[in-house]
Short mmCIF file of all heavy atoms in Angstrom, two decimals:
data_model
loop_
_atom_site.label_atom_id
_atom_site.label_comp_id
_atom_site.label_asym_id
_atom_site.label_seq_id
_atom_site.Cartn_x
_atom_site.Cartn_y
_atom_site.Cartn_z
N ASN A 1 95.67 113.30 106.56
CA ASN A 1 96.17 114.41 105.70
C ASN A 1 97.29 113.98 104.77
O ASN A 1 98.18 114.77 104.46
CB ASN A 1 96.66 115.59 106.57
CG ASN A 1 95.58 116.07 107.51
OD1 ASN A 1 94.42 116.16 107.13
ND2 ASN A 1 95.94 116.31 108.76
N ALA A 2 97.26 112.76 104.32
CA ALA A 2 98.31 112.30 103.40
C ALA A 2 97.92 112.66 101.98
O ALA A 2 96.74 112.74 101.64
CB ALA A 2 98.50 110.80 103.53
N LYS A 3 98.94 112.89 101.15
CA LYS A 3 98.67 113.03 99.72
C LYS A 3 98.70 111.60 99.15
O LYS A 3 99.75 110.96 99.10
CB LYS A 3 99.75 113.89 99.04
CG LYS A 3 99.44 114.09 97.56
CD LYS A 3 100.57 114.72 96.78
CE LYS A 3 100.23 114.68 95.29
NZ LYS A 3 101.35 115.09 94.44
N VAL A 4 97.52 111.12 98.75
CA VAL A 4 97.39 109.72 98.36
C VAL A 4 97.49 109.57 96.84
O VAL A 4 96.69 110.13 96.09
CB VAL A 4 96.04 109.14 98.85
CG1 VAL A 4 95.91 107.68 98.41
CG2 VAL A 4 95.94 109.24 100.37
N ASN A 5 98.50 108.83 96.38
CA ASN A 5 98.62 108.47 94.97
C ASN A 5 98.05 107.06 94.81
O ASN A 5 98.69 106.09 95.22
CB ASN A 5 100.09 108.48 94.54
CG ASN A 5 100.69 109.86 94.62
OD1 ASN A 5 100.44 110.71 93.78
ND2 ASN A 5 101.51 110.10 95.66
N TYR A 6 96.84 106.96 94.25
CA TYR A 6 96.15 105.67 94.21
C TYR A 6 96.25 105.02 92.83
O TYR A 6 95.94 105.64 91.81
CB TYR A 6 94.67 105.85 94.59
CG TYR A 6 93.85 104.58 94.50
CD1 TYR A 6 94.08 103.52 95.39
CD2 TYR A 6 92.87 104.42 93.53
CE1 TYR A 6 93.34 102.36 95.31
CE2 TYR A 6 92.12 103.25 93.44
CZ TYR A 6 92.37 102.22 94.33
OH TYR A 6 91.64 101.06 94.24
N GLN A 7 96.72 103.78 92.83
CA GLN A 7 96.68 102.91 91.63
C GLN A 7 97.40 103.56 90.43
O GLN A 7 96.92 103.49 89.30
CB GLN A 7 95.22 102.59 91.28
CG GLN A 7 94.96 101.17 90.80
CD GLN A 7 95.13 100.12 91.89
OE1 GLN A 7 95.36 100.42 93.05
NE2 GLN A 7 95.04 98.85 91.51
N LEU A 8 98.55 104.18 90.70
CA LEU A 8 99.31 104.77 89.60
C LEU A 8 99.86 103.67 88.69
O LEU A 8 100.12 102.56 89.14
CB LEU A 8 100.47 105.63 90.13
CG LEU A 8 100.13 106.85 90.97
CD1 LEU A 8 101.39 107.68 91.21
CD2 LEU A 8 99.06 107.72 90.32
N SER A 9 100.04 104.00 87.43
CA SER A 9 100.60 103.03 86.48
C SER A 9 102.09 102.84 86.78
O SER A 9 102.74 103.72 87.38
CB SER A 9 100.43 103.52 85.05
OG SER A 9 101.29 104.63 84.83
N PRO A 10 102.69 101.73 86.34
CA PRO A 10 104.13 101.54 86.54
C PRO A 10 104.94 102.68 85.94
O PRO A 10 105.95 103.10 86.52
CB PRO A 10 104.42 100.22 85.81
CG PRO A 10 103.12 99.54 85.66
CD PRO A 10 102.05 100.59 85.66
N GLU A 11 104.50 103.17 84.80
CA GLU A 11 105.22 104.27 84.14
C GLU A 11 105.23 105.51 85.02
O GLU A 11 106.26 106.17 85.20
CB GLU A 11 104.55 104.57 82.79
CG GLU A 11 105.39 105.44 81.90
CD GLU A 11 104.85 105.49 80.47
OE1 GLU A 11 103.70 105.06 80.23
OE2 GLU A 11 105.59 105.98 79.62
N GLN A 12 104.05 105.85 85.59
CA GLN A 12 103.99 107.02 86.49
C GLN A 12 104.90 106.82 87.70
O GLN A 12 105.63 107.73 88.10
CB GLN A 12 102.54 107.23 86.96
CG GLN A 12 101.60 107.72 85.87
CD GLN A 12 100.15 107.67 86.33
OE1 GLN A 12 99.66 106.63 86.79
NE2 GLN A 12 99.45 108.79 86.23
N LEU A 13 104.86 105.62 88.29
CA LEU A 13 105.67 105.35 89.49
C LEU A 13 107.16 105.39 89.16
O LEU A 13 107.96 105.89 89.95
CB LEU A 13 105.29 103.98 90.07
CG LEU A 13 103.89 103.93 90.68
CD1 LEU A 13 103.43 102.49 90.87
CD2 LEU A 13 103.82 104.69 92.00
N GLN A 14 107.52 104.91 87.99
CA GLN A 14 108.92 104.95 87.55
C GLN A 14 109.37 106.40 87.39
O GLN A 14 110.45 106.78 87.85
CB GLN A 14 109.07 104.18 86.24
CG GLN A 14 110.48 104.24 85.68
CD GLN A 14 110.67 103.29 84.51
OE1 GLN A 14 110.49 102.10 84.64
NE2 GLN A 14 111.04 103.83 83.34
N ASN A 15 108.54 107.22 86.74
CA ASN A 15 108.89 108.63 86.53
C ASN A 15 109.07 109.37 87.85
O ASN A 15 110.01 110.15 88.02
CB ASN A 15 107.81 109.33 85.69
CG ASN A 15 107.80 108.82 84.25
OD1 ASN A 15 108.75 108.21 83.80
ND2 ASN A 15 106.71 109.07 83.53
N ILE A 16 108.16 109.10 88.81
CA ILE A 16 108.25 109.77 90.12
C ILE A 16 109.53 109.33 90.84
O ILE A 16 110.23 110.14 91.45
CB ILE A 16 107.00 109.46 90.99
CG1 ILE A 16 105.74 110.06 90.34
CG2 ILE A 16 107.18 110.01 92.40
CD1 ILE A 16 104.44 109.54 90.94
N THR A 17 109.86 108.03 90.74
CA THR A 17 111.09 107.51 91.37
C THR A 17 112.32 108.23 90.84
O THR A 17 113.21 108.62 91.61
CB THR A 17 111.21 105.99 91.12
OG1 THR A 17 110.04 105.33 91.63
CG2 THR A 17 112.45 105.41 91.79
N VAL A 18 112.36 108.42 89.52
CA VAL A 18 113.51 109.09 88.90
C VAL A 18 113.53 110.57 89.30
O VAL A 18 114.59 111.12 89.66
CB VAL A 18 113.48 108.91 87.36
CG1 VAL A 18 114.57 109.74 86.70
CG2 VAL A 18 113.65 107.43 87.00
N GLU A 19 112.35 111.22 89.26
CA GLU A 19 112.25 112.64 89.66
C GLU A 19 112.74 112.85 91.09
O GLU A 19 113.40 113.83 91.40
CB GLU A 19 110.79 113.12 89.58
CG GLU A 19 110.33 113.49 88.18
CD GLU A 19 108.80 113.56 88.09
OE1 GLU A 19 108.14 113.77 89.14
OE2 GLU A 19 108.26 113.37 86.99
N LYS A 20 112.41 111.91 91.97
CA LYS A 20 112.78 112.04 93.38
C LYS A 20 114.22 111.54 93.63
O LYS A 20 114.64 111.44 94.79
CB LYS A 20 111.80 111.24 94.27
CG LYS A 20 110.41 111.84 94.34
CD LYS A 20 109.52 111.03 95.29
CE LYS A 20 108.14 111.62 95.42
NZ LYS A 20 108.08 112.88 96.19
N LYS A 21 114.90 111.18 92.53
CA LYS A 21 116.29 110.69 92.62
C LYS A 21 116.40 109.44 93.51
O LYS A 21 117.39 109.24 94.21
CB LYS A 21 117.24 111.80 93.09
CG LYS A 21 117.32 112.95 92.09
CD LYS A 21 118.43 113.92 92.44
CE LYS A 21 118.77 114.88 91.31
NZ LYS A 21 117.64 115.40 90.54
N GLN A 22 115.36 108.61 93.45
CA GLN A 22 115.38 107.35 94.20
C GLN A 22 115.74 106.17 93.29
O GLN A 22 115.79 105.03 93.73
CB GLN A 22 114.02 107.10 94.86
CG GLN A 22 113.71 108.11 95.95
CD GLN A 22 112.30 107.92 96.53
OE1 GLN A 22 111.59 106.98 96.21
NE2 GLN A 22 111.90 108.84 97.40
N GLY A 23 115.95 106.46 92.00
CA GLY A 23 116.31 105.40 91.06
C GLY A 23 116.74 106.01 89.74
O GLY A 23 116.55 107.21 89.50
N VAL A 24 117.34 105.17 88.89
CA VAL A 24 117.77 105.62 87.56
C VAL A 24 117.32 104.58 86.54
O VAL A 24 117.02 103.44 86.88
CB VAL A 24 119.31 105.80 87.48
CG1 VAL A 24 119.77 106.93 88.39
CG2 VAL A 24 120.04 104.51 87.84
N ILE A 25 117.31 104.98 85.28
CA ILE A 25 116.90 104.07 84.22
C ILE A 25 118.14 103.39 83.63
O ILE A 25 119.09 104.06 83.23
CB ILE A 25 116.13 104.81 83.10
CG1 ILE A 25 114.95 105.61 83.69
CG2 ILE A 25 115.64 103.82 82.04
CD1 ILE A 25 113.92 104.78 84.43
N ALA A 26 118.11 102.06 83.59
CA ALA A 26 119.20 101.29 82.98
C ALA A 26 119.06 101.32 81.46
O ALA A 26 118.00 101.69 80.93
CB ALA A 26 119.15 99.86 83.50
N SER A 27 120.09 100.91 80.77
CA SER A 27 120.07 100.93 79.30
C SER A 27 118.98 100.03 78.73
O SER A 27 118.48 100.26 77.63
CB SER A 27 121.43 100.49 78.75
OG SER A 27 121.72 99.17 79.18
N SER A 28 118.55 99.02 79.49
CA SER A 28 117.49 98.11 79.05
C SER A 28 116.10 98.74 79.16
O SER A 28 115.12 98.18 78.68
CB SER A 28 117.51 96.84 79.90
OG SER A 28 117.25 97.19 81.27
N GLY A 29 116.02 99.91 79.83
CA GLY A 29 114.72 100.54 80.08
C GLY A 29 114.17 100.23 81.46
O GLY A 29 113.20 100.83 81.91
N ALA A 30 114.81 99.27 82.17
CA ALA A 30 114.36 98.92 83.52
C ALA A 30 114.74 100.01 84.51
O ALA A 30 115.69 100.77 84.30
CB ALA A 30 114.98 97.59 83.95
N LEU A 31 113.98 100.11 85.60
CA LEU A 31 114.29 101.03 86.69
C LEU A 31 115.28 100.35 87.63
O LEU A 31 115.08 99.19 88.01
CB LEU A 31 112.99 101.35 87.45
CG LEU A 31 113.13 102.22 88.70
CD1 LEU A 31 113.60 103.63 88.35
CD2 LEU A 31 111.80 102.29 89.46
N ALA A 32 116.36 101.03 87.98
CA ALA A 32 117.34 100.47 88.92
C ALA A 32 117.30 101.26 90.22
O ALA A 32 117.39 102.49 90.21
CB ALA A 32 118.74 100.52 88.31
N VAL A 33 117.12 100.55 91.33
CA VAL A 33 117.04 101.20 92.64
C VAL A 33 118.04 100.54 93.58
O VAL A 33 118.50 99.42 93.35
CB VAL A 33 115.62 101.11 93.27
CG1 VAL A 33 114.59 101.79 92.39
CG2 VAL A 33 115.23 99.66 93.55
N ASN A 34 118.35 101.28 94.65
CA ASN A 34 119.17 100.73 95.72
C ASN A 34 118.27 100.63 96.95
O ASN A 34 117.65 101.62 97.34
CB ASN A 34 120.36 101.66 95.98
CG ASN A 34 121.37 101.02 96.92
OD1 ASN A 34 121.01 100.52 97.97
ND2 ASN A 34 122.64 101.05 96.54
N THR A 35 118.19 99.44 97.56
CA THR A 35 117.25 99.26 98.67
C THR A 35 117.80 99.74 100.01
O THR A 35 117.15 99.60 101.03
CB THR A 35 116.81 97.78 98.79
OG1 THR A 35 117.97 96.97 99.05
CG2 THR A 35 116.14 97.30 97.52
N GLY A 36 119.03 100.28 99.99
CA GLY A 36 119.56 100.89 101.21
C GLY A 36 120.26 99.88 102.11
O GLY A 36 120.91 98.95 101.64
N GLU A 37 120.09 100.09 103.40
CA GLU A 37 120.82 99.29 104.40
C GLU A 37 120.60 97.78 104.22
O GLU A 37 121.51 96.98 104.38
CB GLU A 37 120.34 99.71 105.79
CG GLU A 37 120.98 98.95 106.93
CD GLU A 37 120.37 99.29 108.29
OE1 GLU A 37 119.45 100.14 108.36
OE2 GLU A 37 120.80 98.67 109.28
N PHE A 38 119.37 97.38 103.88
CA PHE A 38 119.05 95.96 103.76
C PHE A 38 118.91 95.56 102.29
O PHE A 38 118.13 96.14 101.55
CB PHE A 38 117.75 95.63 104.52
CG PHE A 38 117.90 95.77 106.00
CD1 PHE A 38 117.57 96.96 106.65
CD2 PHE A 38 118.42 94.72 106.76
CE1 PHE A 38 117.73 97.10 108.02
CE2 PHE A 38 118.59 94.85 108.14
CZ PHE A 38 118.25 96.03 108.78
N THR A 39 119.71 94.57 101.90
CA THR A 39 119.66 94.08 100.52
C THR A 39 119.10 92.67 100.48
O THR A 39 119.19 91.97 99.48
CB THR A 39 121.07 94.09 99.91
OG1 THR A 39 121.93 93.28 100.74
CG2 THR A 39 121.62 95.51 99.82
N GLY A 40 118.54 92.24 101.59
CA GLY A 40 117.90 90.93 101.69
C GLY A 40 116.95 90.95 102.88
O GLY A 40 116.87 91.95 103.60
N ARG A 41 116.25 89.83 103.05
CA ARG A 41 115.34 89.74 104.18
C ARG A 41 116.13 89.70 105.49
O ARG A 41 117.30 89.33 105.51
CB ARG A 41 114.47 88.48 104.10
CG ARG A 41 113.41 88.49 103.03
CD ARG A 41 112.64 87.18 103.01
NE ARG A 41 113.54 86.05 102.84
CZ ARG A 41 114.00 85.28 103.81
NH1 ARG A 41 113.67 85.52 105.07
NH2 ARG A 41 114.83 84.28 103.57
N SER A 42 115.45 90.02 106.57
CA SER A 42 116.08 89.97 107.89
C SER A 42 115.26 89.01 108.76
O SER A 42 114.35 89.41 109.48
CB SER A 42 116.09 91.38 108.50
OG SER A 42 116.82 91.39 109.69
N PRO A 43 115.56 87.69 108.67
CA PRO A 43 114.70 86.67 109.31
C PRO A 43 114.53 86.84 110.82
O PRO A 43 113.49 86.50 111.36
CB PRO A 43 115.41 85.35 108.99
CG PRO A 43 116.33 85.64 107.87
CD PRO A 43 116.69 87.08 107.96
N LYS A 44 115.55 87.40 111.47
CA LYS A 44 115.44 87.55 112.94
C LYS A 44 114.54 88.71 113.33
O LYS A 44 114.28 88.93 114.51
CB LYS A 44 116.84 87.73 113.54
CG LYS A 44 117.68 86.46 113.45
CD LYS A 44 119.05 86.67 114.06
CE LYS A 44 119.86 85.38 113.99
NZ LYS A 44 121.27 85.60 114.31
#
């Protein structure tokens, strides 16, 4: 019963990210996100 978003374009995914307040647009046009607790891999 999942709502499946299949093969969305980068533009659509960027817009949804901004709408959901999970990212913002930088002055260069790139999407800027914060990955949360982990900002790198966790090898262990």
Side-chain angles (χ1 to χ4, degrees):
N1 304 318
K3 183 190 172 189
V4 179
N5 295 285
Y6 177 68
Q7 218 70 4
L8 297 189
S9 70
E11 194 168 14
Q12 290 170 307
L13 291 164
Q14 177 171 300
N15 291 343
I16 295 166
T17 302
V18 173
E19 279 163 24
K20 290 183 179 288
K21 296 190 166 39
Q22 293 176 6
V24 294
I25 307 300
S27 60
S28 62
L31 176 66
V33 300
N34 189 311
T35 61
E37 179 187 358
F38 293 93
T39 57
R41 288 178 304 97
S42 187
K44 291 180 179 168

